[in-house]
Amino acid sequence: MRAAFLINISSRWKKTPPAKLTQLIQRNLTIPSEFFMVDRTQPHSLENHLTEIAKSDFDRIIVAAGDGTINRVINFLALRGLLESFILGVIPMGTCNDFAKILGFRKGPLLQRNIQLAIETIAKNIVREISVAKVNDHYFINNAGFGRRNPAHRKRGPISDLRAMKPVPTTITWDNQSLRGSFLMMLAANAPYFSNGLHFSKDSDPTDGILEFFFVKNISKFRLLTKLFLGVRGFALTRKHRSDSAVWKTKTSELNIKTEMPVWIMADGEVVPSLSEIREARFSVAGRCRFLTAK
């Protein structure tokens, strides 16, 4: 057993010196390990580290970062047929850390607590198989969908983003069925949480090989804002066993959309150039990987 720690410090932890961070991780570590610090000033630093890790004798990659970095790791491994070659672990150090929540980590700023839980998770070696999904040529592990207009531009704030949303005429096909409608946003959920703890449903299971799809209809912005406000406070945006006139939803392993206007699809909270200003997208379950879990 040998672990590679891939560390990508977000601005949230920029005041923590890298040397102190590695010291905190090493304090109770009991397995042979090596540390790889991502240099954010170098665009390919993360992929260069992963190339080195893939050539060595590591069997675990512990990602000390957020959802976006986990997404990049998954894409690197999937595109090279290496998803099953490593057991992955997480130390939540990103902005949202939504994926880490399903592995037993909790929302909060306590860095030392999360590091200690991650070290305990490595020692216990409890492994959970997780589905990996794909939209067109890009893999994702938590969620993917559209809503924001041109999210690559500087963020204007949630209210401005909400006001800029426009209903998108969309044709949906799945399981020999089809549906046409206009939607403000959509989400393909492999796991429950998105956007720092929001969730459409508590039922999304990343182990079942099924994606949950949620399409928000052309409702008033005030009604959508109310749903998002409640979502921040832990209420699911859709209720179990209840119909919701604001949201159309389905479960399937594959679904296609065609839109009459360009959309920007984000994956695991990140902008993906190949998914920007597109009119067709195919979502599907595309494989499995293994994660160390705290529960």
Side-chain angles (χ1 to χ4, degrees), residues 7-8 36-46 49:
I7 302 172
N8 190 9
F36 298 82
M37 191 71 66
V38 174
D39 182 353
R40 291 192 168 215
T41 66
Q42 302 297 320
H44 303 293
S45 175
L46 185 145
H49 284 319

Side-chain angles (χ1 to χ4, degrees), residues 2-4 50-62 73 76-77 81-89 127 288-292:
R2 188 163 178 252
L50 285 171
T51 298
E52 185 178 349
I53 291 168
K55 291 178 179 178
S56 302
D57 61 347
F58 298 104
D59 60 356
R60 280 156 177 70
I61 301 175
I62 312 301
V73 171
F76 180 94
L77 297 177
L82 297 174
L83 272 179
E84 297 183 8
S85 299
F86 298 94
I87 294 174
L88 304 175
V127 178
R288 302 185 76 81
C289 62
R290 294 171 295 166
F291 270 90
L292 294 167

Side-chain angles (χ1 to χ4, degrees), residues 170-199:
T170 305
T171 300
I172 308 165
T173 56
W174 79 105
D175 298 339
N176 296 319
Q177 302 179 67
S178 64
L179 177 72
R180 180 176 169 78
S182 290
F183 304 99
L184 292 174
M185 62 180 292
M186 66 80 60
L187 191 80
N190 188 44
Y193 304 104
F194 74 104
S195 192
N196 203 16
L198 283 166
H199 55 287

Side-chain angles (χ1 to χ4, degrees), residues 43-285:
H44 303 293
S45 175
L46 185 145
E47 284 74 18
N48 290 338
H49 284 319
L50 285 171
T51 298
E52 185 178 349
I53 291 168
K55 291 178 179 178
S56 302
D57 61 347
F58 298 104
D59 60 356
R60 280 156 177 70
I61 301 175
I62 312 301
V63 184
D67 295 336
T69 301
I70 296 171
N71 181 281
R72 289 172 67 182
V73 171
I74 289 295
N75 274 274
F76 180 94
L77 297 177
L79 291 171
R80 291 160 180 80
L82 297 174
L83 272 179
E84 297 183 8
S85 299
F86 298 94
I87 294 174
L88 304 175
V90 172
I91 300 177
M93 292 179 56
T95 303
C96 295
N97 304 308
D98 288 308
F99 182 71
K101 294 178 181 66
I102 70 164
L103 300 176
F105 293 92
R106 292 292 178 263
K107 181 179 178 180
L110 300 180
L111 178 61
Q112 292 192 40
R113 183 188 65 183
N114 280 335
I115 289 176
Q116 182 58 37
L117 181 56
I119 300 306
E120 293 172 2
T121 299
I122 294 169
K124 291 178 182 177
N125 199 37
I126 301 174
V127 178
R128 188 179 181 187
E129 278 205 344
I130 301 292
S131 300
V132 175
K134 190 176 183 181
V135 50
N136 290 0
D137 61 350
H138 191 85
Y139 293 86
F140 65 94
I141 196 162
N142 198 52
N143 60 66
F146 70 74
R148 288 179 59 195
R149 304 295 299 171
N150 201 354
H153 285 183
R154 185 172 61 85
K155 291 184 178 179
R156 296 171 295 179
I159 300 298
S160 295
D161 286 338
L162 193 66
R163 292 179 63 185
M165 285 183 178
K166 297 180 180 179
V168 179
T170 305
T171 300
I172 308 165
T173 56
W174 79 105
D175 298 339
N176 296 319
Q177 302 179 67
S178 64
L179 177 72
R180 180 176 169 78
S182 290
F183 304 99
L184 292 174
M185 62 180 292
M186 66 80 60
L187 191 80
N190 188 44
Y193 304 104
F194 74 104
S195 192
N196 203 16
L198 283 166
H199 55 287
F200 274 97
S201 167
K202 294 182 179 180
D203 300 329
S204 299
D205 183 352
T207 68
D208 63 3
I210 298 292
L211 298 175
E212 284 195 290
F213 292 87
F214 303 91
F215 289 78
V216 178
K217 300 175 184 178
N218 187 19
I219 59 176
S220 72
K221 301 294 179 62
F222 177 78
R223 188 177 177 188
L224 178 55
L225 180 62
T226 301
K227 279 184 168 289
L228 295 174
F229 178 82
L230 292 173
V232 171
R233 280 149 182 78
F235 296 92
L237 273 68
T238 59
R239 298 290 185 87
K240 187 176 183 180
H241 304 313
R242 286 191 192 177
S243 61
D244 189 331
S245 61
V247 181
W248 180 83
K249 55 187 177 181
T250 191
K251 288 185 177 183
T252 183
S253 60
E254 183 176 326
L255 180 143
N256 300 300
I257 63 170
K258 289 185 178 181
T259 63
E260 294 183 10
M261 55 191 292
V263 295
W264 288 257
I265 293 179
M266 299 180 68
D268 294 335
E270 298 295 311
V271 175
V272 181
S274 65
L275 300 176
S276 298
E277 290 191 278
I278 62 174
R279 295 174 185 263
E280 295 187 25
R282 175 179 178 269
F283 297 83
S284 62
V285 176

